[in-house]
């Protein structure tokens, strides 16, 4: 009897193991309807790998522990093929089992997508699996070498940037469950040199108030908020039915955050009410906050980062109003203040761009010295957006980083493991031309130190090119397949242009193949050109002009031809 039972048990276990091996799903799958399924999961491994098919509509997933939803997100689960996988961390389950509740789009939506496959035959059920590791080895030929990118998933706006104890902290809008915009969290990367970055995870996750949109972080040196001297206090937009402003604080230098129990700390009846940027104003002994509302900016003051007093609006009649104003910043430049305003759409070449205003600020009201209606662009490329600066930067510097893409095509660029990079860190200042003040933009000194001291004899797919100009000049980068980027400098007209219409893959968007043009505000003596696999950023060495554009050549540019100047190429160290 015992022997017979043992044989039956062995046979049953063998059958179960064969099924597990064949289907790669060591958990129970339950189908509750044509668009609804559940998986019973447990923290027997660190991650559950979810297969993604980008052409599908989002499924809605809820990880349930007991009677509580502990993680909720959207993911384009694979129906007919797998493009890549993303990890769902399971540590939140602890020693308990959980349910992954999955709702797919309704039948009409699936039919429109050409999906007539029954739910039980979706390929995701055969590919989902447990694992203790997630392979982040680069599988993208276009991934930059010296620009920050997410290890996986979608990235847009830089958020909450600060400097402390020799480390630069960069947070960013991150979708850890796919390479399209969705599930906004704050991803976190750190660097000692502004060039080499280490991903630290996603420390600020969505909650009952909404997903986590853009914001800022400060070092509260004097414990004004009551979270401890030196605590990192982040202020961000909670995005749900309405957009409200919330706080979170960190007592471990930004590695983990605790949400403030009194959230939200600021609300509005305006739909577009977001992206708070906070800074300490020594002149008034208070915190200032500037945030975007529709097509203007609102300015507030606070003693404790929790209670805010409205002071003034800025924007009516000034600058470009072709789209929504976003991601503001307000910087003390000495005898002037610089107000940064990102806008989408409305950029000079379509889509996203960064404009700015120069003026005075008394801690309550910004007064613009520019002519009403005058537009000043910080960067004259097509791929420079959501630009804000690091808080607490050393030596009084204003170090900015942009998102290097454009909302016209950010979700269509030819990468899959990740989407989007940050532009190079750049130091901001002011200069005067013909009696008017403008923002100067120079690559940060840390970036220049990333390259060798002696020039190279050949062009590399990640390099810096310094060009001393004699006058009018044409600079051409090209590869053996005839793909090229042509840059032209016109002394008399004081213009610089970059033509990427034949740069490589441009077919993914009709808005991509463009020529971008910039005023040079006087004569350029030297250009600094930064090439990094899928981007070209050009700076006047004196800071009077910057232009950032992404490119996707089918093979690296190996030829450099300069007419009207002398070029030197410097490789990465």
């Amino acid at each position: 009897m015992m022997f017979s039972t043992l044989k039956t048990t062995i046979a049953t276990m063998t059958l179960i193991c064969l099924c597990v091996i064949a289907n790669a799903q060591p958990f129970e799958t339950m189908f509750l309807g044509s668009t609804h399924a559940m998986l019973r999961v447990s923290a027997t491994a660190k991650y559950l790998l979810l297969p993604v098919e980008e052409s599908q509509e989002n499924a809605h997933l809820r990880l349930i522990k007991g009677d509580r939803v502990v993680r909720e997100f959207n993911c384009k689960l694979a129906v007919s093929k797998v493009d890549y996988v993303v990890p769902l961390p399971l540590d939140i389950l602890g020693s308990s089992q959980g349910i992954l509740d999955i709702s797919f789009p309704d039948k009409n939506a699936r039919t429109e997508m050409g999906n007539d496959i029954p739910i039980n035959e979706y390929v995701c059920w055969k590919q989902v699996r447990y694992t203790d590791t997630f392979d982040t080895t680069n599988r993208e030929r276009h991934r930059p070498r010296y620009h920050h990118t997410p290890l996986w998933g979608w990235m847009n706006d830089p958020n909450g940037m600060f400097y402390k104890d020799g480390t630069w902290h960069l947070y960013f809008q991150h979708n850890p469950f796919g390479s399209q915009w969705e599930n906004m969290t704050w991803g976190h990367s750190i660097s000692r040199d502004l060039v080499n970055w280490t991903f630290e995870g996603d420390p600020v996750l969505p909650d009952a108030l909404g997903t986590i949109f853009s914001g800022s972080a400060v070092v509260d040196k004097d414990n004004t908020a009551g979270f401890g001297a030196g605590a990192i206090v982040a202020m961000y937009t909670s995005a749900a039915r309405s957009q409200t402003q919330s706080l979170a604080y960190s007592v471990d230098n930004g590695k983990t955050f605790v949400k403030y129990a009194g959230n939200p700390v600021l609300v509005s009846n305006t739909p577009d009410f977001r992206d708070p940027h906070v800074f300490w104003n020594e002149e008034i002994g208070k915190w200032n906050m500037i945030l975007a509302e529709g097509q203007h900016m609102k300015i507030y003051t606070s003693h404790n980062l929790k209670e805010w007093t409205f002071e003034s609006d800025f924007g009516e009649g000034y600058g470009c109003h072709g789209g929504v104003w976003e991601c503001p910043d307000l910087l003390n430049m000495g005898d002037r203040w610089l107000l940064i305003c990102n806008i989408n759409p409305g950029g000079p070449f379509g889509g996203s761009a960064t404009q700015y205003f120069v003026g005075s600020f008394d801690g309550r009201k910004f007064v613009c010295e520019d002519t009403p209606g005058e537009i000043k662009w910080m960067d004259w490329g097509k791929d420079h957006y959501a630009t804000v600066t690091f808080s607490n930067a050393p030596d009084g510097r204003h170090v900015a980083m942009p998102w290097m893409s454009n909302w016209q095509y950010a979700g269509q660029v030819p990468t899959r493991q990740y989407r989007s990079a940050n532009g190079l860190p750049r130091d901001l200042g002011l200069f005067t031309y013909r009696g008017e003040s403008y923002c100067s933009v120079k690559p940060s000194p840390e970036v220049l130190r990333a390259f060798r001291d002696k020039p190279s004899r050949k062009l590399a797919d990640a390099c810096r090119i310094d060009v001393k100009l004699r006058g009018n000049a044409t600079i051409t980068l090209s590869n053996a397949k005839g793909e090229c980027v042509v840059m032209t400098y016109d002394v008399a007209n004081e213009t610089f242009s970059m033509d990427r219409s034949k740069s490589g893959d441009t077919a993914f968007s009709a808005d991509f193949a463009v020529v971008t043009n910039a005023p040079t505000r006087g004569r350029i003596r030297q250009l600094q050109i930064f090439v990094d696999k899928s981007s070209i950023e050009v700076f006047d060495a004196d800071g009077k002009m910057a232009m950032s554009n992404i490119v996707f050549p089918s093979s690296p540019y190996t030829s450099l031809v300069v007419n009207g100047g002398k070029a030197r190429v410097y490789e990465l160290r």
Side-chain angles (χ1 to χ4, degrees):
M1 183 69 176
M2 290 180 59
F3 180 72
S4 175
T5 302
L6 181 59
K7 286 199 301 181
T8 303
T9 302
I10 292 173
T12 302
M13 289 179 64
T14 302
L15 179 60
I16 291 173
C17 289
L18 288 173
C19 289
V20 166
I21 293 171
N23 295 306
Q25 54 176 54
F27 36 69
E28 181 183 357
T29 309
M30 299 166 279
F31 301 107
L32 290 81
S34 62
T35 62
H36 189 198
M38 289 182 176
L39 300 180
R40 198 177 301 278
V41 297
S42 60
T44 55
K46 190 173 182 180
Y47 303 112
L48 186 68
L49 292 187
L50 303 174
V52 176
E53 183 178 357
E54 280 203 349
S55 63
Q56 296 299 322
E57 292 293 315
N58 275 311
H60 184 70
L61 292 81
R62 299 186 306 147
L63 183 60
I64 301 170
K65 176 182 178 181
D67 59 355
R68 293 188 303 113
V69 176
V70 293
R71 195 76 189 265
E72 189 169 6
F73 58 97
N74 295 325
C75 183
K76 297 185 174 187
L77 288 180
V79 172
S80 58
K81 66 183 182 72
V82 178
D83 292 325
Y84 52 83
V85 296
V86 293
L88 170 62
L90 295 175
D91 55 340
I92 197 168
L93 293 177
S95 59
S96 304
Q97 276 198 333
I99 292 290
L100 188 61
D101 181 82
I102 307 170
S103 297
F104 290 91
D106 62 30
K107 183 177 180 181
N108 291 334
R110 288 188 294 124
T111 301
E112 289 176 5
M113 293 294 296
N115 171 21
D116 294 323
I117 302 173
I119 187 172
N120 62 309
E121 295 181 13
Y122 288 180
V123 71
C124 58
W125 314 127
K126 298 179 181 179
Q127 298 294 327
V128 64
R129 63 186 178 88
Y130 289 117
T131 181
D132 285 322
T133 60
F134 178 58
D135 182 13
T136 58
T137 304
N138 180 39
R139 293 181 289 279
E140 298 282 353
R141 60 191 175 93
H142 292 304
R143 188 188 285 269
R145 290 177 60 191
Y146 61 93
H147 288 71
H148 173 262
T149 58
L151 282 182
W152 74 92
W154 165 276
M155 179 184 74
N156 55 290
D157 306 359
N159 296 155
M161 305 188 300
F162 71 92
Y163 174 89
K164 189 172 186 287
D165 300 330
T167 299
W168 301 87
H169 293 259
L170 167 64
Y171 300 84
F172 53 91
Q173 292 282 278
H174 188 215
N175 177 13
F177 299 114
S179 295
Q180 300 283 334
W181 184 93
E182 193 63 61
N183 307 309
M184 287 296 97
T185 70
W186 274 19
H188 182 206
S189 296
I190 60 172
S191 176
R192 303 285 290 186
D193 60 7
L194 285 173
V195 175
N196 298 288
W197 295 90
T198 301
F199 179 59
E200 294 286 300
D202 296 281
V204 188
L205 299 176
D207 55 34
L209 290 176
T211 54
I212 312 300
F213 275 19
S214 295
S216 58
V218 295
V219 181
D220 188 10
K221 299 176 183 178
D222 297 322
N223 193 25
T224 63
F227 302 132
I232 308 303
V233 182
M235 191 164 187
Y236 58 88
T237 298
S238 295
R241 182 176 178 180
S242 297
Q243 295 180 354
T244 60
Q245 314 314 313
S246 296
L247 288 181
Y249 64 93
S250 172
V251 294
D252 58 4
N253 285 336
K255 185 175 182 180
T256 62
F257 280 86
V258 177
K259 304 282 182 63
Y260 174 50
N263 286 337
V265 297
L266 193 63
V267 301
S268 171
N269 59 3
T270 303
D272 295 311
F273 180 70
R274 56 179 175 264
D275 310 341
H277 196 98
V278 177
F279 61 95
W280 177 256
N281 190 334
E282 194 67 44
E283 295 178 1
I284 63 171
K286 295 181 182 179
W287 295 99
N288 274 127
M289 175 174 63
I290 180 170
L291 63 78
E293 183 182 63
Q295 290 194 348
H296 65 276
M297 301 300 182
K298 302 187 82 69
I299 295 172
Y300 298 81
T301 57
S302 175
H303 289 287
N304 61 9
L305 293 168
K306 302 171 183 176
E307 299 162 320
W308 292 93
T309 300
F310 170 71
E311 300 290 354
S312 64
D313 288 311
F314 170 76
E316 185 174 355
Y318 287 91
C320 178
H321 289 266
V324 176
W325 285 19
E326 296 185 308
C327 302
D329 202 342
L330 189 53
L331 308 172
N332 186 345
M333 311 299 286
D335 62 343
R336 300 279 198 286
W337 285 73
L338 181 71
L339 193 157
I340 298 173
C341 169
N342 294 275
I343 182 172
N344 177 60
F349 311 105
S352 322
T354 304
Q355 63 180 330
Y356 66 89
F357 307 91
V358 181
S360 60
F361 180 60
D362 63 2
R364 292 170 176 81
K365 184 177 182 179
F366 177 80
V367 178
C368 186
E369 67 181 36
D370 303 326
T371 304
E374 180 182 9
I375 303 172
K376 293 179 176 178
W377 301 111
M378 183 174 288
D379 187 288
W380 291 86
K382 184 143 179 168
D383 300 301
H384 179 280
Y385 192 60
T387 306
V388 288
T389 61
F390 285 88
S391 175
N392 200 46
D395 304 319
R397 294 166 58 192
H398 299 293
V399 182
M401 282 187 75
W403 175 49
M404 195 163 53
S405 195
N406 191 303
W407 280 114
Q408 287 185 327
Y409 45 71
Q412 287 77 49
V413 296
T415 62
R416 280 257 173 96
Q417 183 185 24
Y418 79 100
R419 275 198 174 90
S420 299
N422 287 108
L424 287 176
R426 48 202 73 192
D427 280 33
L428 306 182
L430 290 179
F431 71 95
T432 302
Y433 179 67
R434 294 180 178 174
E436 191 163 356
S437 296
Y438 296 92
C439 179
S440 66
V441 182
K442 296 181 179 181
S444 295
E446 292 88 345
V447 174
L448 298 177
R449 290 196 290 268
F451 296 89
R452 297 183 184 276
D453 295 328
K454 294 183 178 180
S456 170
R457 294 183 179 180
K458 63 179 181 178
L459 197 64
D461 61 0
C463 64
R464 185 185 96 227
I465 307 168
D466 289 355
V467 183
K468 289 187 177 181
L469 301 173
R470 295 192 294 267
N472 292 342
T474 301
I475 304 160
T476 304
L477 295 167
S478 61
N479 60 21
K481 298 186 179 182
E483 298 166 345
C484 64
V485 175
V486 181
M487 292 165 271
T488 305
Y489 172 52
D490 187 320
V491 176
N493 291 316
E494 295 187 357
T495 59
F496 178 86
S497 68
M498 186 189 304
D499 183 349
R500 71 173 182 193
S501 60
K502 299 178 181 178
S503 57
D505 187 354
T506 64
F508 56 85
S509 171
D511 296 309
F512 189 80
V514 296
V515 179
T516 55
N517 300 280
T520 62
R521 317 285 187 206
R523 185 160 184 169
I524 295 179
R525 304 291 180 181
Q526 179 171 308
L527 290 172
Q528 295 170 320
I529 304 173
F530 294 84
V531 179
D532 193 0
K533 288 202 171 183
S534 56
S535 65
I536 299 175
E537 293 161 282
V538 183
F539 299 86
D540 166 25
D542 292 328
K544 296 179 296 182
M545 185 276 299
M547 183 177 288
S548 303
N549 286 315
I550 55 177
V551 291
F552 297 97
S554 57
S555 62
Y557 303 123
T558 53
S559 173
L560 170 65
V561 176
V562 178
N563 294 315
K566 182 178 181 180
R568 289 188 173 182
V569 178
Y570 297 87
E571 295 182 346
L572 283 172
R573 293 187 184 275

